[in-house]
Amino acid sequence: MGLLDNKTAIVTGSSRGIGAATAKLLAGEGAAIVVNYRQKAPRANKVVAEIEAAGGRGIAVGGDLTNQADVDALAQAAIDTFGSLDVLVLNASGGMESGLGEDYALRLNRDAQIAMLQAAAERMKPGSRVVFVTSHQAHFIDTVETIGAYEPVARSKRAGETALRELIPWLSEKGITFVVVSGDMIEGTITATLLDRAEPGAIEARREAAGKLYSVEEFAAEVAKMATADVETGHTELVGGAQQFEA
């Protein structure tokens, strides 16, 4: 028996990296998974195939989270395919990509997160959970400086977290809990790669300062745990290296 038997989870941005690893872990706990991707359908289909090969259930659903129609379709896909929506993992983020507009980071990391949570919550039953994934560099941006190239993204993600937290009373009325998972830089993610390209040596410097950086799989395990952890709504789970940020 898994902790999520007969439940359904949407994991945004789950065709690769932390999202894909989280999706597979939740599937291992019995959840049917809606794997969300923006452009790379083959990668998303591969994640679904891996889930199914391990005895789980999954479906890949494309959608740009900055598009309201796509957000609504993604939330409804969980209901139409698996009959419920019980867990939403808000993993998708970005802002360092080129060619998507100067306001893309804010549209994705704040506005799209709110839209996705609202669309999901309208379909969730009491006892459901929303997990928002962020970084220490964003969570603590108001008190601790971060790498210059990452600051606009960090500020947009912090704006997203703040806006989502303002919805906690509304979620509580529906019986839905909200949890934040914040992690240090994660080895092997696209964000880490882009940061190191923008500021060579940035990842090594952070690794030395923290003593250890989590791998994608290690961090995904912490995200997956928070889907069922017995914690109060509004809880923040700090994963790795937070001491320097809290000081």
Side-chain angles (χ1 to χ4, degrees):
M1 294 290 288
L3 294 172
L4 291 169
D5 284 347
N6 302 314
K7 305 289 187 183
T8 303
I10 293 175
V11 183
T12 64
S14 49
S15 66
R16 65 180 177 187
I18 294 164
T22 300
K24 287 183 273 190
L25 288 167
L26 295 177
E29 288 293 345
I33 307 295
V34 179
V35 175
N36 161 246
Y37 65 96
R38 185 168 68 90
Q39 290 181 315
K40 309 292 187 181
R43 286 198 309 219
N45 289 330
K46 181 180 178 183
V47 175
V48 171
E50 290 171 351
I51 287 171
E52 292 177 340
R57 296 175 297 154
I59 184 176
V61 178
D64 181 346
L65 299 186
T66 65
N67 180 301
Q68 185 64 52
D70 285 4
V71 165
D72 290 333
L74 177 58
Q76 190 60 36
I79 304 297
D80 292 346
T81 308
F82 300 116
S84 70
L85 175 53
D86 310 279
V87 175
L88 170 65
V89 179
L90 292 168
N91 167 75
S93 67
M96 295 187 72
E97 304 89 343
S98 60
L100 293 173
E102 290 185 4
D103 64 341
Y104 180 68
L106 202 57
R107 287 191 294 117
L108 176 61
N109 297 329
R110 183 193 63 188
D111 302 346
Q113 307 300 320
I114 296 167
M116 189 69 242
L117 181 146
Q118 291 175 329
E122 294 292 359
R123 295 164 170 83
M124 288 172 141
K125 296 177 181 177
S128 298
R129 172 158 293 178
V130 177
V131 180
F132 176 66
V133 181
T134 189
S135 65
H136 297 340
Q137 288 75 16
H139 182 71
F140 293 104
I141 189 61
D142 291 334
T143 55
V144 181
E145 290 185 3
T146 190
I147 298 168
Y150 188 65
E151 184 172 347
V153 176
R155 292 202 176 279
S156 68
K157 285 186 69 66
R158 179 66 240 192
E161 180 182 341
T162 299
L164 291 169
R165 286 186 180 279
E166 290 173 354
L167 295 175
I168 288 176
W170 177 70
L171 292 171
S172 294
E173 290 178 1
K174 295 177 174 294
I176 300 168
T177 51
F178 175 83
V179 175
V180 172
V181 182
S182 177
D184 208 331
M185 289 184 185
I186 308 299
E187 299 269 16
T189 61
I190 187 64
T191 298
T193 300
L194 290 173
L195 272 175
D196 219 40
R197 190 177 300 161
E199 297 194 23
I203 301 304
E204 180 59 34
R206 185 65 211 137
R207 187 184 300 113
E208 290 181 4
K212 165 190 168 62
L213 295 182
Y214 276 57
S215 69
V216 167
E217 289 73 20
E218 288 170 331
F219 184 62
E222 300 301 320
V223 175
K225 285 179 188 176
M226 285 300 109
T228 56
D230 185 12
V231 294
E232 293 291 324
T233 192
H235 171 77
T236 301
E237 185 73 7
L238 299 174
V239 180
Q243 297 84 353
Q244 294 165 303
F245 292 87
E246 294 178 298

